[in-house]
DNA sequence: CTTGACCCTGACATTGATGTCAGGGGTTAC
DNA sequence: GTAACCCCTGACATCAATGTCAGGGTCAAG
């Protein structure tokens, strides 16, 4: 199967499949004309890589445990590298969530401080707000916009 | 005050202060020798910019409402632009949190599927798991590591 | 006059998967 | 033979704040 077929079957772009090969996640034999040749096993692998990436793993991380991914769903994390990588990623995600939660609380405080809105429910994690919402007038900053490149 | 003084007083780097000026968030007069000259007002503004950035605003976003930031903490979001920007950011953060939560649940499922660990409590948001943890053997991916640049 | 501590501008690097373009070739059907 | 697809490699762009380097001034103290 050529690369276009893999792309079609996996949902990955041709560009991405080439990228996965370049970083060593997949391997392809070559036809006489230089075209990559894949089989059904590669399709499954590319699908799995896509799932991993959507979970937040980088290709570099995936590479560290790709060689111990096994066919039996029951032994998923049986290989310690896989389990370790998953636990690390889990911890990283929870750190990110905590950071986002902090920022969320500060935004809520700022919003609540000004407008007497009551639809901002602010559930768990009570905050002790030394956040000092907004202040400071600075008269000369009117024309600040549009110094930025726009996406072409 | 010269740029080094601003940096020292705000915690921002000299590089960052120059950057804020370049994108129009602050303005500096120039001494005869070309050196930037700042006053105490600029120090307060740079501190505020730093806080905004830590909240997750980009300088481009900050620029859209910087000119309506006022000195009175009670009127924080009195300027509609500020409130709108904060609500947008809040919504974006909540989307990110939801995405992270989804990924977290999938990671937990995968981990739970293999090791009979019980310290993974999995609290709220029950998941309907069509996640298909891990599978697929691929014998020829042993030498995948170290194709990546290392940071020097 | 030299040293050291500042300041200046401009430019490149970082992160990482992916899009996209340039320039070139293969394969197939008409 | 030519149009229409597909493939190849290599390279640049994306996002955004910040670090860092090169190459060059300014200025005060010794």
């Amino acid at each position: 199967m050529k690369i276009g077929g893999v792309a079609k079957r996996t949902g990955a772009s041709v560009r991405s499949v080439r990228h996965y090969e370049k970083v060593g996640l997949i391997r392809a034999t070559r036809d006489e004309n230089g075209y990559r040749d894949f089989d059904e096993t590669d399709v499954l692998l590319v699908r799995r890589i896509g799932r991993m990436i959507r979970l937040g793993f980088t290709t570099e991380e995936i590479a560290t445990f790709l060689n111990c991914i096994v066919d039996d769903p029951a032994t998923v994390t049986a290989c310690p590298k896989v389990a370790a990588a998953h636990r690390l990623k889990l911890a990283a995600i929870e750190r990110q969530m905590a950071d986002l939660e902090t920022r969320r609380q500060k935004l809520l405080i700022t919003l609540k401080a000004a407008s007497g809105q009551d639809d901002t429910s602010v559930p768990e994690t009570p905050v002790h707000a030394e956040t000092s919402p907004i202040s400071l007038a600075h008269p000369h900053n009117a024309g600040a916009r549009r110094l930025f490149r726009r996406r072409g």
Side-chain angles (χ1 to χ4, degrees), chain A:
Chain A
M1 184 191 329
K2 282 175 289 183
I3 198 170
V6 175
K8 203 161 296 177
R9 250 162 274 208
T10 60
S13 67
V14 168
R15 175 70 174 83
S16 291
V17 176
R18 288 204 192 101
H19 181 59
Y20 300 156
E21 189 201 27
K22 178 162 292 186
V23 299
L25 292 184
I26 57 178
R27 255 169 231 197
T29 57
R30 298 289 180 137
D31 291 342
E32 291 175 1
N33 55 17
Y35 290 10
R36 291 170 182 81
D37 183 42
F38 299 93
D39 58 30
E40 289 302 326
T41 307
D42 298 308
V43 170
L44 295 178
L45 184 53
V46 169
R47 285 202 189 117
R48 173 153 311 287
I49 292 168
R51 251 174 272 142
M52 294 303 206
I53 283 177
R54 266 171 264 125
L55 267 183
F57 289 100
T58 67
T59 56
E60 185 164 14
E61 288 167 340
I62 296 169
T64 65
F65 59 80
L66 189 67
N67 62 324
C68 70
I69 286 177
V70 288
D71 209 350
D72 180 4
T75 62
V76 176
T77 47
C79 178
K81 283 182 181 180
V82 180
H86 278 63
R87 269 188 276 271
L88 278 178
K89 186 56 66 181
L90 189 59
I93 283 178
E94 287 172 351
R95 274 194 302 278
Q96 287 179 65
M97 289 181 73
D99 177 58
L100 286 175
E101 179 58 27
T102 300
R103 285 157 53 190
R104 191 175 86 96
Q105 290 299 330
K106 290 184 180 172
L107 285 168
L108 285 174
I109 287 167
T110 295
L111 281 170
K112 211 168 49 171
S115 51
Q117 311 269 354
D118 59 316
D119 55 350
T120 58
S121 48
V122 191
E124 62 226 289
T125 47
V127 178
H128 313 297
E130 47 184 351
T131 313
S132 85
I134 297 269
S135 63
L136 185 58
H138 208 70
H140 57 212
N141 283 78
R145 288 152 301 281
R146 293 291 61 95
L147 288 169
F148 302 88
R149 269 163 291 159
R150 65 206 69 237
R151 332 160 213 140

